[in-house]
Amino acid sequence: MNKKAIALALVLVIAMSGVFAAPLVVSTGTVTDVTATLKAVIGWFFNHGFVNPDTGTEFNATLDITNAFAVDPVFTYGYETNTSIAFGIYMEVSDFEHDTETGVAIKIADVEIAGSTPEPNAGVYTLATSAVHGKSENVQIKITPLKAAGDDHLGNTISSQLEYVNDNATHGGYTSTVTVSVATL
């Protein structure tokens, strides 16, 4: 440490020690010590994301599940908070888009949330809502690709063989994107 830094540190130590502190004399002639009060407030926290399947405790911003046409993908989304502000967590699921062929997609047959198949509101599913202080929740989600002609999860009738998983569908890799958003209620 150089001499200037040592001198500055020494000046700060002396100043903080109260050597130069003077008592406050009020107009009545009474001597009163000066006091400073510091208050700290711990703010709200909100942690959320895809529950890490390896640890089961931490939240990840992304999650990759492979081989989604052989076994329907299942994952868990969760949150923890100490806020009492009411909020909702919402999810949209895209079709399985072909990785290289533009416009080629496999439709989604069903989206199951916590064991039930809710109706989406304009394509958006509600994963959770809360107004309880100190709450945490995990919800399991299962996405089923369309494997035969019929209705997709949005109620659209699908009849093209390219839009469901079968031998006539375009071969290659496909990706479905799950988009999660949080909004106060």
Side-chain angles (χ1 to χ4, degrees):
M1 192 184 277
N2 65 31
K3 291 179 184 180
K4 287 181 184 179
I6 293 172
L8 178 62
L10 187 57
V11 168
L12 288 174
V13 167
I14 292 171
M16 297 298 287
S17 69
V19 171
F20 299 109
L24 176 64
V25 178
V26 290
S27 61
T28 61
T30 308
V31 176
T32 307
D33 289 335
V34 177
T35 333
T37 303
L38 299 176
K39 290 186 178 182
V41 176
I42 306 255
W44 304 110
F45 72 84
F46 180 78
N47 301 317
H48 70 112
F50 298 102
V51 177
N52 184 324
D54 296 330
T55 66
T57 57
E58 63 188 39
F59 299 123
N60 294 337
T62 61
L63 180 66
D64 291 329
I65 300 173
T66 57
N67 210 10
F69 294 151
V71 177
D72 296 339
V74 176
F75 58 93
T76 303
Y77 198 84
Y79 73 89
E80 60 185 9
T81 184
N82 67 349
T83 183
S84 58
I85 299 169
F87 62 88
I89 302 176
Y90 307 96
M91 175 185 80
E92 291 181 70
V93 181
S94 75
D95 293 334
F96 284 90
E97 302 287 335
H98 195 277
D99 290 343
T100 58
E101 300 279 334
T102 305
V104 175
I106 301 294
K107 298 293 186 175
I108 304 292
D110 284 312
V111 174
E112 187 177 293
I113 300 171
S116 67
T117 52
E119 292 293 323
N121 182 6
V124 177
Y125 293 93
T126 299
L127 294 181
T129 56
S130 176
V132 179
H133 181 77
K135 178 138 177 148
S136 66
E137 184 177 1
N138 288 342
V139 61
Q140 189 175 60
I141 301 159
K142 178 180 177 182
I143 297 174
T144 305
L146 192 64
K147 296 182 174 98
D151 291 345
D152 71 0
H153 71 116
L154 301 175
N156 302 314
T157 301
I158 306 302
S159 58
S160 169
Q161 294 179 341
L162 297 180
E163 294 181 306
Y164 55 87
V165 180
N166 67 6
D167 291 337
N168 296 319
T170 303
H171 294 280
Y174 290 80
T175 301
S176 174
T177 303
V178 174
T179 304
V180 177
S181 59
V182 178
T184 56
L185 298 175

